Amino acid sequence: MPATPAAAATPATAATPATAAAPVGPVAPVTPVTGIRRQGSPAAAPGAKEAGIGFALGEDQELLRDQVRRFAEERIRPGVQERDRNHRFPAEIVAEMGELGLLGMLVGEAYGGAGADVLTYALAVEELARVCPATAVTMSVSNSVCCWPIARFGSEELKRRVLPELAGGALGAFGLTEPGAGSDAASLRTSARRDGGSWVLTGEKAWISNAGFARWYVVVARTDPQAGKRGMTAFVVPADAPGFAVGEPEEKLGLRASRTAPIYFNDCRVPAGNVLGAPGEGFKIALATLDHSRVGIGAQAVGIHQRALELAIAYARERVQFGVPIVQHQAIRFRIAEMATTLAAARLLTWRAAIAAQAVHDAAGGGPIDGGGPAAAAAGRLAAEAKVFASEAANRACQESLQIHGGNGFHADYEISRLYRDVRVTTIYEGTSEMQRLVIARHLVGAPRKRTAAAGAE
């Protein structure tokens, strides 16, 4: 490791945003996220008719983004390094997010949620990830891979029993990945058998975000071994179900303040009414859920990218070499310009994917997707494009920002070192970059003649 320059600048851990709004001032009361007006796309900017398409957000979306940014700066940023260092799950902050309605953004108002559109939800994820990606993924998982599939595929009885609790602050989780089933989700071995008025689950799931803190788990298990991917069923499993257990938390490279652990089913019994959709539809539900959740991962990557750019600019302005701040050197300026350009592209790709996902939801009247159709297929492709581009761009941005920080970027006291670790997994979970490219290509040129069923695991 190169020696740290003696004239190094102080750690840039709270630099002024370079392409976002100015830092928030004293904390004002944050209004709970409820009754957000649903908006299918950003509002047209003044003069858009003459100048072309406008990309301004709606008033409610701007307000929500400002509220979440203020909450993140004032309540999450203090202690973020300590929580990362000690691998401490921020239970008290998660409880506050529940009180604000951030854990029930994708739950309809009829069930106690905010009833937010997908773009508004993505804006909230981005603002949380800009400050603490670990907290953002905790919120995103509960919303997108637990609340969303229950709201989409659950019976009315199940929704009324589960969603108010999730909207009120209880955490959710998603169980698809297994030790032997990652991208090849169709090879999962966790099984479920019908026993009277219950289903009995046996097996294990790996890399489950929020495990141990979640109250409800959406779990996919094999119910017909002879039917391949059509022999899988999705269940909603409560944390207190008999035979359910959580293993020791994983020691991760990044996102250390989020909890990830295996979960086990030892003849775990759940009521028959806890099935999502119908028996045999679990694989379809898992794919639809992943298509939707990738929008959140794209937004998470955008938030990390935004912060990496802010830190790079702030450090380059104060670090002096060869008699001038290094921001004056063309090599640094070109890096910053490239980071800003790819950030803008990633953000708009993510917004487009969010708008498409909302359009599919609205067209279906909030009901289950049956066969998907061209609109759902297009939305899935857009989500894959946003996820792969935003995650890879964010990884490059963190690398460039750390390079601009020089030796100091390698020090744990500097925020960029944490972001560099946190961002790495964005190209892996919710479907690897390789799987996203397969999804995109399949929509454009069709599926290969022979292929394994690939879903891309959490």
Side-chain angles (χ1 to χ4, degrees):
M1 170 181 168
T4 302
T10 55
T13 57
T16 301
T19 60
V24 297
V27 184
V30 179
T31 305
V33 182
T34 57
I36 294 175
R37 185 167 61 252
R38 299 172 68 80
Q39 294 167 286
S41 63
K49 185 175 181 180
E50 295 78 14
I53 297 174
F55 292 98
L57 297 173
E59 182 180 347
D60 288 345
Q61 291 166 329
E62 292 276 12
L63 177 62
L64 182 281
R65 185 174 63 177
D66 291 346
Q67 289 180 329
V68 176
R69 178 175 296 163
R70 185 169 68 247
F71 174 78
E73 286 288 353
E74 300 292 345
R75 295 295 302 127
I76 298 177
R77 189 175 296 284
V80 67
Q81 295 285 75
E82 176 271 327
R83 291 190 296 271
D84 174 78
R85 187 178 303 112
N86 296 323
H87 298 231
R88 185 173 72 80
F89 185 83
E92 69 286 356
I93 290 174
V94 172
E96 290 185 46
M97 289 198 297
E99 293 173 0
L100 293 174
L102 294 177
L103 300 182
M105 293 192 71
L106 298 179
V107 176
E109 293 180 65
Y111 306 101
D117 61 275
V118 181
L119 177 56
T120 304
Y121 156 73
L123 295 172
V125 173
E126 178 184 336
E127 290 303 325
L128 293 174
R130 176 183 163 272
V131 172
C132 179
T135 303
V137 77
T138 297
M139 174 268 205
S140 178
V141 162
S142 194
N143 272 284
S144 65
V145 290
C146 188
C147 291
W148 186 83
I150 295 173
R152 214 53 168 130
F153 299 99
S155 67
E156 185 62 28
E157 185 277 331
L158 182 62
K159 289 190 284 190
R160 293 200 176 279
R161 180 157 47 92
V162 176
L163 289 179
E165 191 172 357
L166 287 167
L171 280 177
F174 181 59
L176 180 63
T177 304
E178 296 180 3
S183 292
D184 184 11
S187 66
L188 63 83
R189 300 178 63 182
T190 296
S191 64
R193 58 181 173 83
R194 186 67 183 262
D195 183 20
S198 302
W199 286 88
V200 180
L201 283 70
T202 302
E204 65 177 297
K205 299 291 183 179
W207 294 102
I208 307 304
S209 298
N210 296 348
F213 288 95
R215 163 61 180 152
W216 297 95
Y217 296 76
V218 171
V219 177
V220 181
R222 189 174 296 281
T223 49
D224 184 351
Q226 307 306 317
K229 64 184 181 182
R230 293 181 176 85
M232 301 179 192
T233 302
F235 301 89
V236 179
V237 180
D240 58 359
F244 176 83
V246 178
E248 291 297 314
E250 305 290 354
E251 294 287 334
K252 299 176 296 183
L253 171 69
L255 300 180
R256 293 175 176 175
S258 73
R259 175 64 64 88
T260 306
I263 55 177
Y264 303 101
F265 307 92
N266 182 19
D267 290 337
C268 176
R269 189 173 293 270
V270 298
N274 283 30
V275 169
L276 292 181
E281 294 184 339
F283 190 72
K284 179 186 74 172
I285 290 172
L287 291 182
T289 299
L290 289 168
D291 279 347
H292 188 276
S293 68
R294 284 166 185 151
V295 175
I297 302 305
Q300 180 188 349
V302 169
I304 298 172
H305 193 152
Q306 174 71 54
R307 187 58 177 168
L309 175 61
E310 293 169 9
L311 293 171
I313 293 174
Y315 187 85
R317 282 173 171 164
E318 55 185 57
R319 173 68 171 155
V320 175
Q321 289 287 274
F322 304 104
V324 297
I326 63 173
V327 75
Q328 298 298 325
H329 298 304
Q330 188 180 68
I332 303 300
R333 298 171 78 87
F334 279 10
R335 289 178 188 268
I336 289 172
E338 181 68 17
M339 291 165 65
T341 302
T342 54
L343 172 62
R347 180 174 281 126
L348 290 181
L349 279 171
T350 302
W351 285 15
R352 184 178 67 162
I355 293 167
Q358 186 62 45
V360 170
H361 176 89
D362 292 342
I369 301 173
D370 186 10
R381 175 177 64 83
L382 293 174
E385 290 174 352
K387 199 267 187 186
V388 69
F389 185 88
S391 63
E392 293 187 354
N395 270 267
R396 291 192 300 270
C398 287
Q399 177 178 323
E400 294 286 11
S401 184
L402 193 149
Q403 188 72 17
I404 288 171
H405 281 73
N408 285 328
F410 203 66
H411 197 288
D413 283 350
Y414 281 73
E415 186 178 352
I416 189 58
S417 69
R418 173 173 56 83
L419 295 182
Y420 186 79
R421 289 185 287 103
D422 286 349
V423 76
R424 187 61 189 88
V425 75
T426 60
T427 64
I428 298 173
Y429 61 12
E430 307 294 84
T432 63
S433 289
E434 292 75 15
M435 295 313 307
Q436 302 317 299
R437 289 183 168 89
L438 285 178
V439 169
I440 296 164
R442 186 168 67 244
H443 285 297
L444 295 174
V445 299
R449 193 164 294 177
K450 291 183 179 180
R451 67 182 183 89
T452 57
E458 179 190 35

